[in-house]
Amino acid sequence: MTQGERPSEQNSTEAQRALEKETQLSFTGWQQEVSRGLEFGLEAAESIRDRTISTFSRGELPHYAGINTFLKAPYIEDVRKVGEYDVAIVGVPHDSGTTYRPGTRFGPQGIRRISALYTPYNFELGVDLREQITLCDVGDVFTIPGNNEKSFDQISKGIAHIFGSGAFPIILGGDHSIGFPTVRGVCRHLGDKKVGIIHFDRHVDTQETDLDERMHTCPWFHATNIKNAPAKNLVQLGIGGWQVPRAGVKVCRDRATNILTVTDITEMGLDAAVEFALERALDGTDCVYISFDIDCIDAGFVPGTGWPEPGGLLPREALYLLGKIVQKAPVCGLEVVEVSPPYDVSDMTALMATRVICDTMAHLVISGQLPRKEKPAYIHPEATPEVISEWQ
């Protein structure tokens, strides 16, 4: 190949393809952000040669300054306007469902804070979120400390509002007890449609109660009681170790849910695991909800979580599985839970959560699911109470 000649797509490296993809991205979003910063933050002092810099920090730069929303996205004070955006970030600072190490109520703050380290552009994927979608941060659901059920009602109402608006909901947890009310909120706008749940975790979280309450070990027992979320469409990836209660295992067996351990995934191969998950989650359903517990990843990479368990997925494996699933399934929402900043080291766990969220948005763009030209057909315009299945 002579100098300056471009390699063929078949023979090129990922890096070479990434270099080419970048040329296809616009700078419109960046220019709009700069203009907004200059308008709202005043022009810089005369000694500043770079005239894109404002006096007061607005937008992405500098990364260490400004008020932290997720990726420095606009904060939407009036949540009635959330439907004007492609994606809505919402925090659920709730850890009253925690059974051992609390602290995930600070998860949304921790994730937002370290997300400032990121830019909206990913080199390998050739995606610039600022240029290709509209993203907002609606702040946090007002949860009630010490009262799971009132908090669950608040969470379900909030998620139903965002989901029904047509914005893609991304939820920053919070402990995993929120999995039940988030799915319940989605189901309120599904009408007669159904949702499959793909659950990344080391723990099954399928007990009916724990310590006599619906705790963070219990979301999928109650979510799969809803007729819109059949238990046969619950897929759990990465389960294993010394923290899986037998009461939950019995429920998985009785309800015929779908489980792959880390060993299953590594022995069958990542692509086969993806096909397993999609086949079962999409069997008779109209969309897929992804619940990503950060502790599905080996504890050495994510120390800041309530129930760390060695032997989990490697970050590369988890991100690969997630990316393939998102590209091949009609995804209706994402939650990332169990990030506990009080136990974190150098923001490693919160940074991993940020990567999960950003990768999900990028793969939604690549697969054409974002930006949305219209509301997906599975979103019913009117909110209705969820219908509960009868379980023997």
Side-chain angles (χ1 to χ4, degrees):
M1 188 170 63
T2 60
Q3 185 176 4
E5 184 181 348
R6 292 180 179 174
S8 68
E9 185 73 15
Q10 185 176 1
N11 297 325
S12 63
T13 64
E14 181 183 48
Q16 288 169 329
R17 293 192 297 273
L19 290 167
E20 195 61 31
K21 286 179 184 176
E22 192 276 335
T23 65
Q24 301 166 22
L25 298 170
S26 73
F27 285 99
T28 303
W30 169 247
Q31 291 163 350
Q32 290 173 343
E33 185 174 296
V34 168
S35 297
R36 181 177 178 275
L38 292 172
E39 179 183 357
F40 294 156
L42 307 180
E43 286 193 29
E46 292 183 5
S47 60
I48 304 299
R49 286 181 290 182
D50 183 351
R51 301 312 294 174
T52 66
I53 293 174
S54 56
T55 300
F56 293 90
S57 173
R58 297 290 183 271
E60 178 193 346
L61 298 174
H63 293 290
Y64 53 82
I67 306 299
N68 275 334
T69 58
F70 188 82
L71 284 187
K72 302 281 188 78
Y75 169 58
I76 302 303
E77 188 171 14
D78 186 350
V79 296
R80 292 170 296 184
K81 297 181 179 179
V82 68
E84 299 173 9
Y85 293 82
D86 296 315
V87 178
I89 303 291
V90 57
V92 179
H94 176 76
D95 64 3
S96 296
T98 302
T99 54
Y100 184 44
R101 302 204 304 182
T104 57
R105 68 180 62 188
F106 302 109
Q109 288 183 354
I111 295 169
R112 286 186 176 106
R113 184 178 64 251
I114 199 61
S115 76
L117 186 63
Y118 273 22
T119 76
Y121 168 64
N122 181 282
F123 175 66
E124 303 101 308
L125 299 177
V127 170
D128 190 329
L129 298 173
R130 179 168 41 209
E131 303 299 327
Q132 293 169 281
I133 63 171
T134 55
L135 172 67
C136 72
D137 192 322
V138 300
D140 292 345
V141 172
F142 195 137
T143 56
I144 312 300
N147 193 308
N148 282 342
E149 299 305 323
K150 288 182 179 180
S151 294
F152 290 172
D153 289 344
Q154 288 280 89
I155 295 163
S156 292
K157 184 174 181 180
I159 300 309
H161 173 76
I162 295 169
F163 180 77
S165 77
F168 184 90
I170 294 181
I171 298 105
L172 315 179
D175 69 45
H176 217 158
S177 69
I178 73 169
F180 162 59
T182 54
V183 170
R184 184 174 64 174
V186 167
C187 288
R188 287 179 180 173
H189 276 282
L190 287 182
D192 61 354
K193 307 296 185 183
K194 289 183 170 58
V195 59
I197 301 167
I198 296 182
H199 167 220
F200 289 79
D201 207 330
R202 292 291 277 151
H203 316 106
V204 290
D205 292 350
T206 48
Q207 294 173 243
E208 181 174 6
T209 61
D210 193 347
L211 305 178
D212 208 40
E213 296 286 346
R214 296 198 279 193
M215 306 295 272
H216 68 163
T217 51
C218 307
W220 309 128
F221 180 95
H222 302 284
T224 59
N225 271 346
I226 303 171
K227 284 191 174 180
N228 300 95
K232 75 181 182 73
N233 301 118
L234 171 63
V235 180
Q236 301 179 283
L237 302 176
I239 306 302
W242 293 91
Q243 301 166 357
V244 181
R246 291 179 62 184
V249 173
K250 182 179 185 303
V251 171
C252 293
R253 188 169 56 247
D254 291 346
R255 297 191 177 186
T257 64
N258 308 278
I259 297 175
L260 289 181
T261 67
V262 173
T263 300
D264 288 331
I265 292 168
T266 56
E267 288 188 351
M268 72 195 305
L270 299 179
D271 289 316
V274 168
E275 293 308 314
F276 174 97
L278 293 172
E279 179 183 344
R280 286 154 178 80
L282 291 170
D283 181 16
T285 63
D286 303 275
C287 55
V288 166
Y289 183 80
I290 297 177
S291 181
F292 196 100
D293 188 325
I294 206 70
D295 69 33
C296 74
I297 295 172
D298 186 271
F301 297 95
V302 289
T305 186
W307 283 96
E309 173 63 35
L313 294 165
L314 298 177
R316 269 201 306 264
E317 294 169 340
L319 292 173
Y320 183 90
L321 292 167
L322 177 71
K324 292 296 183 181
I325 288 168
V326 171
Q327 286 200 27
K328 295 181 178 183
V331 181
C332 66
L334 167 74
E335 65 185 15
V336 181
V337 299
E338 296 291 350
V339 173
S340 187
Y343 293 100
D344 211 356
V345 177
S346 300
D347 297 310
M348 291 167 55
T349 312
L351 187 62
M352 187 69 219
T354 301
R355 179 64 190 263
V356 167
I357 294 164
C358 290
D359 275 26
T360 296
M361 289 190 285
H363 290 295
L364 288 168
V365 170
I366 291 169
S367 61
Q369 297 183 67
L370 289 179
R372 288 173 168 172
K373 298 179 178 61
E374 58 186 6
K375 285 186 186 182
Y378 53 74
I379 299 179
H380 195 276
E382 300 297 326
T384 56
E386 62 283 350
V387 178
I388 305 300
S389 298
E390 294 295 330
W391 284 96
Q392 298 301 319

